[in-house]
């Protein structure tokens, strides 16, 4: 087992992304910032039941773009964490 030791206080994250995703193939961009400053290295996960699970980290501009394929109309969850 391992324990991550964090040396600074947690920051409030602002996460921006489109409100809908069309069925089929598309790109989905998530932007993460804290008080207007882009957050590099935030972990972004997209999930939808068992049909979709993607994970990536944000670039220096605080963005990550996923190439996704959504086959069923349902909720896609966006989860972001970082330190």
């Amino acid at each position: 087992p391992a324990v991550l030791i964090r040396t600074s206080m947690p920051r409030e994250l602002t996460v921006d992304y489109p409100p809908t995703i069309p069925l089929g193939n598309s790109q989905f961009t998530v932007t993460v910032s804290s008080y207007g400053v882009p957050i590099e290295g935030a972990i972004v996960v997209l999930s939808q039941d068992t049909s979709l699970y993607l994970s990536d980290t944000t670039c220096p501009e605080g963005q990550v773009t996923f190439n996704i394929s959504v086959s069923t109309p349902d909720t896609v969850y966006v989860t972001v964490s970082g330190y």
Side-chain angles (χ1 to χ4, degrees):
V3 175
L4 292 175
I5 297 175
R6 300 190 174 128
T7 58
S8 60
M9 294 296 294
R11 296 179 281 186
E12 182 176 324
L13 298 178
T14 300
V15 181
D16 293 309
Y17 51 87
T20 59
I21 302 172
L23 291 177
N25 297 324
S26 63
Q27 289 190 326
F28 187 77
T29 299
V30 178
T31 303
V32 182
S33 62
S34 180
Y35 300 103
V37 177
I39 301 297
E40 180 180 6
I43 301 166
V44 180
V45 176
L46 302 183
S47 60
Q48 180 190 37
D49 296 326
T50 59
S51 62
L52 175 70
Y53 186 89
L54 299 169
S55 176
D56 205 347
T57 57
T58 55
C59 69
E61 290 78 30
Q63 294 186 328
V64 61
T65 299
F66 295 94
N67 293 312
I68 64 172
S69 178
V70 176
S71 58
T72 58
D74 199 358
T75 301
V76 173
Y77 294 98
V78 178
T79 305
V80 178
S81 63
Y83 54 90

